[in-house]
Amino acid sequence: MPEAVSLLYQFGTNAAFLLLSALGLIVILGMMNIINLAHGEFMMLGAYAATASVQRGVPFPLAVLIAAVAVGLFGVVIERLIVRRFYGRELGALVVTWGISLILGQGALLLFGPFMPPIAIPGGAVALGDYSFSVYWLFLIVLCGVLLAALAFVYRATRFGLQARAAMQNARMARALGIRVDRIYMATFALGAALAGLSGALLAPTTSIAPFMGQQFVAPAFITVVVGGGASVIGGALGSSGLLSLVQTPVAFLFGTFSGTLALLLTALVVIRLLPGGVSSIGRYFTRRSLAAAR
Amino acid sequence: MSDGDALLRAEGLCKRFGGVVAAQSIDFALRRGELRCVIGPNGAGKSTFFSLLCGIQRPDAGRIVFDGRDITRLKPFQRVRLGIGLTFQTNRAFHAMTVAENLETARRGGAAGDDVHFQTALASFGLAAQLERPASALPHHELQWLEICMALRRGPLLLLLDEPTAGMSPAETARTAEVLTALAADGLAIAVVEHDIAFVRQVAQTVTVLHQGAVFAEGSFAEVTARDDVRRIYLGHVHEAAA
Amino acid sequence: MSVAAASRAAPRGSGLARLLNGPHDIGRTPGAWAVLAAGLASFLVYPHWATAFQATNVAYYLLNIPMALGLSLLWGYGGVLSFGQVAFFAVAGYVYGIVAGNLPDAPWGTWLGVVSGLGASAALAAVFGYFIFYARVAAWIVPILTLVLALLLSTFLGLTAGSMWTVGQVPLGGYNGMTGIPALQVGTLTFQDYAFYYLTVGVVVLCYIGLRAWVNAHRGQVLMAIREDTLRTELLGYDVRREQLRAFVLAATLAGVSGLLYVQWGNYITPSVTGLQQAALPVVWVAVGGRDSLLAVAICTFLLNQLSYVLSSAGNQYALVIIGALLVAVMMFAPEGIVVTLARRTWRRRR
């Protein structure tokens, strides 16, 4: 019994890590068809902002919020100055955001030095049999659910969500209807950046904080996005992180961390071979069917 | 018409997109040397039918036989290599290349057949004198003609055209009709999905009318257009559009 | 008659000369060819005035050109972007090191290393590319997955410390990399110093000429046709997946060529050659030069490698910031590439 719980816990933490790593990326891709290669560096900035706040005596939860807001604002600046010139040129956007990531990584090293003091993991642990579980990770798993629900609410029930979905499906039509697509894109990019900052801050206590820490998120985040596909933000994020964790958890348990990550890449190759649109394309297929049936 | 000697035969083609039925059981047969127009109001399933024939879409049910071979599961490029040449509604010649480079790219797409139809078309459309021009310098109607020549380059047995005269002036449309009629008289099978009734009147030996994803009527232009039900679904629609 | 006319449409002349002077690269005027010839001549006579150390340095600036040309072919001509060319660079270097290092006494040991190194790069690209191109994925997935490939390879190579990762008598060396890789040999000639310099110049010139002919030949045209309109090309009877995979494997092999030259240069290789920062560099060289011109990419790769070398040997911490800023600036203000923009302005010639 405790073994089963332990395995479930491992599965949950892996899925939560993948989901948090990829969430901001998926939001930007799904809504704007732009891949933000500086995503890992945005997460790094979030971790730095949270750490700097904690050092100045700010309580950790507040520090996380500060990080999200700060990186979100930074995202607005980047979007206005650079990214908005690359709408509709997906490869150009990839390359230019890579340039940004190089500047941010090295820039953080120059500005803040190679070391940042770590943040202690809040919350301690609970024990079950011989196993102990980190309360913080349990909290993160729950928080992932809350974040997805909040995103679903934003997209389904708010004016912004409606306009964003309209802009995603047909930008020209949305423009003709008087939606300020430009603003929607800016807000979406800011939301994606804020989520990256939030994730970076939330994961900061679990990892060492360094200028090039963003790199460790690149492989898991991008594989999660590829497997998820761009068709549906929430379905893609949830399906992809769940599926990948299902593969990664046993492989990493038996053969070590690297094999776990390699298994992620192999899973991604197999998934795109079978479903070029990612797992979210299944969801979209069913949604369309049910919509059509309801008509 | 007997289906035994059909070059292209489609049987019971069905295609759904989600819950939308774009094609429900289309039966279609085309003989060698026949020039057929496929018409129908917007949403009748013409584009779906075209993309099923060239392999961009796979049918949910039914099969397609071309030149005695079942091609239902073949990919588009494999169908082209078996001898189907096709053009799109929109200009899709390679604008960065010259006319000759476009034709050369078309020639080397696979094994070549007899290019007599290509030579006829190249001469009749007056493109032989413009080989060195970049495709981007050609006017719209000549780009359409270039695409027809590209489709004919390797000597296909069947030419599939999707609205070849879209955007052409009446004179250009008439010229297109004239050349296609001559090609069919030389033995080439041609199927044209078309909107333009003037063009259809000029070229068609037989007309197939699609409606709601199925064959609604088939016969000579005069026969089909004389039918009240056809006028109601299709020609009535044209009047509305013209009004 | 018009068939003959149709095939006559390609530039006049015959064979290689006709292909080299085809429309798909900058520098087609007699003047441009003269400049190119003069440039090549100065590379050939340069060692006369240079020390072996200087010549080896210049060879170092040149040795990445094959990898950059391969990326130019793939991205600029084929519209397929890869962020993972360094993975194929590393695979060729490591496999060469393993094979050549295990055959120190065989006269053909190093050459078997070359063949297996290039073969390994091509094979990895073929398998990986099969999954990507035959799935017909969206354009953004190729760069992402190739980047992940490069990063995982780097991580894996970093884990190969210790005796369990010794292949034959060659330790992979983990984070510190593989050292003591033997240099190419023919008889008594070892390709070091001046010989290495001439080897590099020769390989680079061959790669450039070969690719320039290739992009102007039929296969290259098909690749450009796919970039312009994938569906149209398929409906002319081309198997698009196969054409893209072919270009991907060719580009990976060229990256392997650079990897082989690299291990000749330093006789060592470390996992960092396929790390995130190195992975960015080929993209920078190609984007800054002008991705749809092989010549511009070659020139820019040479200059930027020199710049990075100068910056990093001066201990300049801003190297990566400068490279990143250059990339952002070029993508924003000269998306055709700096060298291409300058060249077109100079020659005032439309393609």
Side-chain angles (χ1 to χ4, degrees):
Chain A
M1 173 59 192
E3 288 83 358
V5 175
S6 166
L7 209 59
L8 199 64
Y9 168 81
Q10 277 306 325
F11 169 78
T13 38
N14 284 333
F17 178 80
L18 291 170
L19 193 107
L20 285 174
S21 303
L23 200 54
L25 203 57
I26 293 184
V27 164
I28 295 175
L29 173 75
M31 291 288 141
M32 300 158 70
N33 208 23
I34 291 264
I35 290 275
N36 173 22
L37 257 176
H39 178 74
E41 278 62 38
F42 280 24
M43 290 179 71
M44 176 272 291
L45 289 180
Y48 267 64
T51 311
S53 307
V54 167
Q55 275 181 304
R56 280 161 187 74
V58 177
F60 181 67
L62 190 60
V64 170
L65 283 183
I66 292 175
V69 172
V71 180
L73 289 176
F74 184 72
V76 171
V77 174
I78 293 290
E79 197 271 349
R80 284 293 93 183
L81 288 181
I82 300 170
V83 176
R84 76 185 165 91
R85 295 163 183 255
F86 291 88
Y87 293 144
R89 290 161 53 195
E90 45 183 335
L91 294 187
L94 267 169
V95 173
V96 83
T97 50
W98 202 355
I100 297 170
S101 87
L102 293 178
I103 299 172
L104 290 180
Q106 187 72 24
L109 178 66
L110 293 171
L111 286 177
F112 309 119
F115 302 110
M116 254 332 232
I119 305 180
I121 292 199
V126 288
L128 180 67
D130 293 338
Y131 298 91
S132 84
F133 306 105
S134 155
V135 171
Y136 186 64
W137 269 112
L138 293 172
F139 163 75
L140 286 186
I141 295 170
V142 174
L143 189 70
C144 282
V146 175
L147 277 177
L148 283 181
L151 271 183
F153 176 79
V154 167
Y155 283 125
R156 296 277 150 86
T158 66
R159 195 179 143 79
F160 164 75
L162 184 68
Q163 295 190 342
R165 281 186 293 149
M168 173 186 70
Q169 280 170 15
N170 190 339
R172 201 192 291 167
M173 189 63 186
R175 228 170 253 130
L177 291 173
I179 295 174
R180 298 176 68 177
V181 172
D182 201 46
R183 285 293 172 84
I184 296 286
Y185 281 167
M186 186 180 84
T188 306
F189 197 85
L191 176 64
L195 284 170
L198 181 77
S199 302
L202 287 170
L203 292 173
T206 71
T207 180
S208 58
I209 300 166
F212 294 106
M213 66 182 284
Q215 295 182 9
Q216 65 182 302
F217 303 115
V218 169
F222 286 110
I223 291 175
T224 307
V225 170
V226 167
V227 170
S232 141
V233 171
I234 291 152
L238 195 62
S240 171
S241 54
L243 173 71
L244 287 171
S245 173
L246 210 56
V247 175
Q248 184 193 19
T249 307
V251 174
F253 177 74
L254 293 173
F255 305 107
T257 318
F258 172 75
S259 303
T261 316
L262 184 64
L264 291 183
L265 176 62
L266 297 179
T267 311
L269 289 180
V270 173
V271 167
I272 56 164
R273 188 73 184 87
L274 300 175
L275 291 169
V279 291
S280 62
S281 57
I282 312 177
R284 179 175 259 198
Y285 177 74
F286 283 115
T287 323
R288 218 194 280 139
R289 279 189 79 116
S290 59
L291 277 179
R295 232 179 257 138
Chain B
M1 180 180 65
S2 117
D3 279 5
D5 57 346
L7 174 65
L8 176 77
R9 201 167 66 242
E11 296 166 356
L13 287 186
C14 298
K15 182 69 186 177
R16 277 180 206 87
F17 297 104
V20 181
V21 181
Q24 47 175 341
S25 196
I26 296 182
D27 294 306
F28 182 84
L30 188 74
R31 281 173 287 113
R32 287 167 207 274
E34 182 177 356
L35 172 49
R36 176 83 63 91
C37 288
V38 178
I39 62 173
N42 279 330
K46 297 190 301 288
S47 302
T48 306
F49 180 54
F50 183 84
S51 58
L52 288 173
L53 288 183
C54 62
I56 298 172
Q57 307 276 356
R58 288 265 178 91
D60 299 326
R63 62 182 205 132
I64 305 168
V65 179
F66 172 71
D67 198 20
R69 274 190 66 166
D70 187 333
I71 60 166
T72 319
R73 322 278 336 152
L74 293 190
K75 300 196 180 321
F77 72 90
Q78 293 167 322
R79 300 181 188 206
V80 171
R81 288 178 182 181
L82 286 178
I84 299 179
L86 32 82
T87 73
F88 298 96
Q89 247 178 67
T90 47
N91 275 163
R92 291 179 84 163
F94 302 109
H95 289 237
M97 298 183 187
T98 63
V99 170
E101 283 176 324
N102 269 290
L103 292 172
E104 179 65 5
T105 306
R107 183 178 75 80
R108 297 181 69 163
D114 178 10
D115 70 347
V116 54
H117 298 307
F118 163 68
Q119 298 298 359
T120 309
L122 193 69
S124 320
F125 285 135
L127 287 168
Q130 313 202 48
L131 292 173
E132 306 290 337
R133 293 181 75 186
S136 53
L138 296 185
H140 172 80
H141 66 280
E142 287 190 339
L143 274 172
Q144 304 275 76
W145 289 344
L146 170 61
E147 286 218 58
I148 295 177
C149 291
M150 287 165 74
L152 287 170
R153 185 64 189 88
R154 289 184 311 104
L157 301 171
L158 166 67
L159 188 61
L160 284 179
L161 305 174
D162 192 1
E163 302 201 16
T165 62
M168 286 189 187
S169 73
E172 291 151 6
T173 302
R175 176 104 173 262
T176 311
E178 206 175 285
V179 174
L180 291 179
T181 313
L183 289 172
D186 275 354
L188 181 69
I190 306 175
V192 187
V193 171
E194 194 41 277
H195 227 75
D196 182 346
I197 283 296
F199 172 85
V200 176
R201 176 179 293 129
Q202 193 177 348
V203 302
Q205 300 155 353
T206 316
V207 175
T208 299
V209 184
L210 288 185
H211 181 51
Q212 293 181 341
V215 174
F216 185 77
E218 200 163 79
S220 74
F221 183 79
E223 261 168 49
V224 164
T225 50
R227 281 174 56 171
D228 279 346
D229 48 356
V230 172
R231 300 180 79 93
R232 211 165 32 245
I233 61 152
Y234 186 68
L235 299 177
H237 178 85
V238 169
H239 283 302
E240 279 163 29
Chain C
M1 168 247 140
S2 25
V3 189
S7 53
R8 221 192 299 130
R12 304 198 196 300
S14 68
L16 188 63
R18 178 178 65 77
L19 289 177
L20 286 180
N21 224 20
H24 301 295
D25 198 358
I26 57 170
R28 282 179 290 133
T29 59
W33 280 109
V35 171
L36 269 185
L40 178 59
S42 57
F43 272 109
L44 290 179
V45 298
Y46 168 73
H48 188 68
W49 294 284
T51 65
F53 176 74
Q54 288 169 322
T56 309
N57 271 354
V58 171
Y60 175 76
Y61 310 146
L62 290 170
L63 65 81
N64 282 310
I65 289 178
M67 173 159 65
L69 291 177
L71 182 61
S72 166
L73 173 81
L74 201 57
W75 179 21
Y77 292 83
V80 175
L81 180 52
S82 162
F83 284 169
Q85 293 310 96
V86 286
F88 307 111
F89 176 100
V91 164
Y94 268 92
V95 169
Y96 172 87
I98 291 168
V99 173
N102 275 304
L103 298 164
D105 302 321
W108 38 264
T110 52
W111 293 96
L112 186 64
V114 168
V115 173
S116 14
L118 294 182
S121 294
L124 177 63
V127 173
F128 198 75
Y130 167 78
F131 279 97
I132 295 179
F133 295 113
Y134 277 67
R136 295 170 168 268
V137 291
W140 58 267
I141 287 189
V142 185
I144 294 299
L145 284 183
T146 46
L147 178 63
V148 171
L149 175 73
L151 295 185
L152 285 190
L153 186 65
S154 178
T155 310
F156 166 72
L157 292 170
L159 295 172
T160 57
S163 56
M164 83 173 268
W165 291 104
T166 297
V167 183
Q169 41 189 302
V170 179
L172 295 187
Y175 192 72
N176 297 321
M178 187 189 279
T179 52
I181 299 174
L184 267 176
Q185 270 183 318
V186 180
T188 55
L189 172 66
T190 304
F191 285 96
Q192 280 167 329
D193 302 335
Y194 293 120
F196 168 63
Y197 173 83
Y198 281 113
L199 175 74
T200 307
V201 171
V203 168
V204 165
V205 169
L206 274 182
C207 287
Y208 173 69
I209 299 223
L211 272 183
R212 181 154 175 173
W214 204 84
V215 296
N216 283 305
H218 174 61
R219 285 283 158 236
Q221 300 241 318
V222 173
L223 203 57
M224 283 174 263
I226 293 171
R227 179 192 65 190
E228 212 178 310
D229 191 334
T230 307
L231 184 61
R232 184 74 192 105
T233 312
E234 163 144 21
L235 291 178
L236 288 173
Y238 292 98
D239 187 347
V240 167
R241 309 166 304 176
R242 198 185 158 87
E243 301 291 337
Q244 287 182 327
L245 181 60
R246 190 201 313 269
F248 188 66
V249 171
L250 179 57
T253 311
L254 286 165
V257 169
S258 286
L260 291 179
L261 289 173
Y262 176 79
V263 294
Q264 308 303 318
W265 170 73
N267 303 110
Y268 71 89
I269 187 165
T270 66
S272 70
V273 298
T274 173
L276 194 64
Q277 288 159 28
Q278 288 296 315
L281 293 179
V283 177
V284 176
W285 306 326
V286 172
V288 173
R291 60 180 180 273
D292 56 358
S293 162
L294 296 167
L295 184 59
V297 165
I299 293 170
C300 184
T301 305
F302 175 72
L303 294 177
L304 283 183
N305 272 285
Q306 195 161 3
L307 176 72
S308 317
Y309 188 82
V310 171
L311 284 178
S312 63
S313 56
N316 196 317
Q317 297 170 312
Y318 292 91
L320 218 49
V321 176
I322 292 171
I323 295 276
L326 188 62
L327 185 58
V328 172
V330 165
M331 290 307 289
M332 288 178 73
F333 304 115
E336 286 203 309
I338 292 180
V339 179
V340 168
T341 307
L342 288 179
R344 293 207 175 126
R345 207 163 282 174
T346 314
W347 274 304
R348 295 240 170 252
R349 222 199 122 119
R350 280 176 53 86
R351 265 151 59 91

